[in-house]
């Protein structure tokens, strides 16, 4: 969620409809197909595949929704709830830039409304790192950013992250998209405040402390890999610390999946950055980027602003499963990981 977080925000979607939706400031517009998301009857082979129940008794369509975290723009509407009921998206991301709600009661109501149309649980997420990355509408105290608090001590990092995450938990959030696990390269200004520093070992200590703080609040943590630069050997040390701290999610790009799975042995949930960020991979619009990420070993994708883009992405994932490009067994494995998260902090 690079661009969103540089703005100090969290995410959401826009209205439905077959119109062009922007995928990022430097990318060409992605034209959403005019075909409605409710499609004609599938051929018999597809019908047989869709009749097979997966983990937790979920249908294929429910499983596809489960591996998507979606946001939308503006207040929740009956049309958005109807779309959510149809697609059963597994994650709801709420951030300031989408202007979903203006105060804590409205945020609580938003989360409860989405939960009310779900056949299975939904993971609700936002981002509160401190510093410039806070969600003021939550009224949760915005504490020091990573660079400032990291200069104090790991204990200070843990205390501040517990305080902020406890506030999010009280509103109904299950996930805080924090901490950033990048080592600052000393060059790129946006990361200078969001990273805990330039020393990999010191950053690793603070990342572990931040995760402990989030866990103490009773919600899930996400180790974010946000650097656009090719990671050096030392850059993975904080990620290793996050894994050792039992972080539930690692945010990564397609190019980092092999390193996480094979070299670091991470078997938890790998979630994409916001697929509506054009600079992430301008050659891939969100639907194809989602299929690529999941087929390459990722577990969950984020479509942060537009419900129509989320619907198109859902359809692309479904077609990839039915064609065998994204194996159903792989989808089942990712859904199982997400369902197993409920053994801890879910309400």
């Amino acid at each position: 969620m690079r661009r969103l977080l540089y703005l100090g925000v969290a995410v959401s979607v826009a209205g439905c409809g077959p119109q062009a939706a922007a995928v990022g400031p430097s990318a060409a517009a992605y034209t959403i197909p005019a075909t409605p998301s409710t499609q004609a009857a599938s051929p018999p082979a597809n019908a047989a595949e869709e009749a097979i129940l997966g983990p937790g008794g979920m249908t294929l369509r429910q499983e596809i929704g489960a591996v998507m975290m979606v946001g939308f723009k503006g207040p929740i509407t009956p049309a958005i709830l109807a779309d959510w009921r149809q697609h059963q998206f597994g994650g709801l991301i709420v951030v300031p830039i989408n202007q979903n709600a203006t105060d804590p009661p409205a945020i609580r109501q938003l989360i409860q409304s989405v939960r009310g149309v779900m056949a299975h649980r939904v993971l609700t997420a936002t981002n509160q790192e401190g510093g410039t990355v806070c969600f003021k509408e939550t009224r949760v105290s915005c504490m020091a950013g990573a660079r400032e608090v990291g200069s104090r001590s790991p204990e200070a990092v843990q205390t501040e992250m517990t305080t902020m995450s406890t506030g999010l938990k009280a509103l109904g959030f299950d996930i805080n998209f924090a901490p950033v696990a990048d080592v600052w390269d000393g060059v790129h200004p946006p990361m200078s405040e969001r990273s805990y520093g330039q020393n990999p070992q010191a950053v690793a200590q603070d990342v572990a402390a931040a995760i402990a703080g989030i866990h103490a609040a009773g919600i899930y943590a996400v180790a974010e890999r946000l650097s656009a630069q090719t990671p050096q050997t030392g850059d993975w040390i904080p990620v290793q610390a996050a894994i050792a701290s039992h972080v539930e999610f690692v945010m990564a790009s397609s190019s980092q999946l092999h390193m996480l799975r094979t070299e670091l042995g991470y078997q938890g949930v790998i979630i994409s950055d916001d697929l509506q960020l054009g600079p992430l991979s301008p050659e891939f619009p969100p639907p194809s980027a989602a299929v690529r990420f999941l087929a390459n070993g990722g577990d969950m994708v984020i479509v942060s602003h537009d419900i129509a883009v989320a619907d198109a992405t859902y359809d692309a994932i479904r077609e990839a499963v039915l064609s065998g490009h994204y194996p159903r067994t792989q989808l089942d494995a990712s859904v199982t990981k997400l369902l197993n998260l409920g053994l801890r902090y879910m309400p």
Side-chain angles (χ1 to χ4, degrees):
M1 295 186 290
R2 261 158 255 172
R3 174 166 53 86
L4 297 181
L5 300 179
Y6 294 163
L7 295 173
V9 300
V11 283
S12 192
V13 222
C16 308
Q19 14 183 351
V23 298
S26 64
Y30 167 66
T31 302
I32 298 167
T35 305
S37 56
T38 302
Q39 302 183 357
S42 303
N46 289 358
E49 176 67 29
E50 296 204 21
I52 299 172
L53 297 182
M58 296 176 75
T59 65
L60 173 60
R61 290 178 180 271
Q62 289 172 339
E63 285 193 80
I64 292 166
V67 297
M68 297 181 64
M69 180 168 283
V70 174
F72 54 91
K73 294 173 184 168
I76 198 160
T77 65
I80 289 173
L81 280 177
D83 192 281
W84 213 282
R85 181 181 288 107
Q86 177 186 351
H87 292 95
Q88 293 289 299
F89 299 121
L92 167 67
I93 186 161
V94 187
V95 288
I97 197 171
N98 286 332
Q99 299 182 332
N100 299 129
T102 59
D103 56 33
I107 293 170
R108 288 192 193 92
Q109 184 59 53
L110 168 72
I111 293 171
Q112 290 169 5
S113 295
V114 171
R115 284 183 174 150
V117 300
M118 294 296 294
H120 300 273
R121 59 177 166 264
V122 60
L123 293 163
T124 57
T126 191
N127 181 257
Q128 182 103 352
E129 296 173 16
T132 60
V133 185
C134 288
F135 190 174
K136 67 178 183 180
E137 286 80 4
T138 63
R139 307 292 194 269
V140 172
S141 297
C142 185
M143 307 187 87
R147 180 180 63 178
E148 181 181 342
V149 69
S151 67
R152 301 174 195 165
S153 67
E155 291 75 20
V157 171
Q158 180 171 342
T159 297
E160 290 203 358
M161 199 59 80
T162 296
T163 299
M164 291 189 290
S165 298
T166 298
L168 298 180
K169 173 76 171 180
L171 292 174
F173 287 105
D174 307 302
I175 303 170
N176 186 1
F177 270 89
V180 169
D182 288 275
V183 177
W184 186 42
D185 60 7
V187 176
H188 295 83
M191 288 305 303
S192 68
E193 192 233 4
R194 297 183 61 201
S195 168
Y196 286 106
Q198 294 181 267
N199 180 289
Q201 285 74 24
V203 172
Q205 287 186 322
D206 288 336
V207 164
I211 292 168
I214 293 171
H215 286 171
I219 63 177
Y220 303 123
V222 184
E224 298 186 273
R225 294 286 307 161
L226 302 181
S227 175
Q229 306 304 305
T230 302
Q232 305 300 311
T233 302
D235 293 338
W236 290 105
I237 293 176
V239 180
Q240 290 175 302
I243 294 170
S245 299
H246 306 291
V247 71
E248 290 81 15
F249 296 82
V250 173
M251 177 181 283
S253 65
S254 288
S255 64
Q256 297 169 341
L257 291 172
H258 178 78
M259 181 68 179
L260 281 167
R261 295 294 193 211
T262 305
E263 302 298 325
L264 301 183
Y266 179 63
Q267 298 305 313
V269 179
I270 300 180
I271 191 168
S272 76
D273 205 333
D274 175 17
L275 297 183
Q276 291 200 262
L277 284 175
L280 278 180
S281 52
E283 70 273 30
F284 293 105
S288 58
V291 170
R292 177 172 176 257
F293 182 83
L294 294 169
N296 285 346
D299 298 298
M300 194 175 207
V301 294
I302 299 176
V303 180
S304 63
H305 300 300
D306 299 287
I307 203 83
V309 176
D311 291 350
T313 301
Y314 175 100
D315 290 341
I317 296 170
R318 176 175 175 270
E319 288 305 314
V321 174
L322 294 177
S323 69
H325 179 65
Y326 173 38
R328 177 74 182 270
T329 54
Q330 200 170 329
L331 172 63
D332 288 348
S334 291
V335 171
T336 296
K337 292 178 190 178
L338 292 165
L339 290 176
N340 286 343
L341 289 177
L343 298 176
R344 283 208 277 168
Y345 303 129
M346 289 295 293

